Amino acid sequence: MSAEEVAKAFVQHFYQAFDSGVDALGGLFNEQSMLTFEGQQVQGSPAIIQKLKSVGQVKHSVKTTDIQPSSNPNAIVIFVTGAVQIGGDNPLHFCEFFHLVSTSPGQYYVHNDVFRLNYGL
């Protein structure tokens, strides 16, 4: 699969899993993974899943996905924009950056995940 195919499949899977139950995301992270969520950093799969659960029920609508190869030939960077409803409230704009790193052919984990809500743009 090309970097673009991997990234598109990842984005679709990530947001579907997040919206239906955060626990399904556990396998995408490992102990090296780091999430920065609205400026708060957490590291390791259990801490990341706990942080994502604390957000509550969400529904994402992806608007754009930009994909680039990383300086490491076994990694991909992805930038996503869209809207997210939290707890059924009005949608808010968000942006999210992912750095995927390959562990073996066709297998990736999220090494970095940076999430921000976009207020008052």
Side-chain angles (χ1 to χ4, degrees), residues 38-115:
E38 289 290 299
Q40 181 184 8
Q41 289 186 342
V42 292
Q43 186 166 9
S45 185
I48 291 170
I49 297 304
Q50 181 179 349
K51 178 61 184 172
L52 295 178
K53 280 184 176 180
S54 75
V55 176
Q57 183 61 42
V58 295
K59 176 156 180 42
H60 292 86
S61 174
V62 172
K63 301 288 186 218
T64 66
T65 303
D66 296 303
I67 303 151
Q68 292 184 351
S70 177
S71 60
N72 174 343
N74 296 319
I76 304 168
V77 294
I78 306 167
F79 185 74
V80 178
T81 66
V84 60
Q85 281 185 284
I86 302 172
D89 290 340
N90 290 331
L92 300 168
H93 295 284
F94 78 91
C95 58
E96 192 159 13
F97 168 88
F98 299 98
H99 180 216
L100 304 184
V101 177
S102 177
T103 56
S104 62
Q107 299 292 315
Y108 291 82
Y109 78 95
V110 178
H111 187 73
N112 302 96
D113 180 352
V114 181
F115 177 91

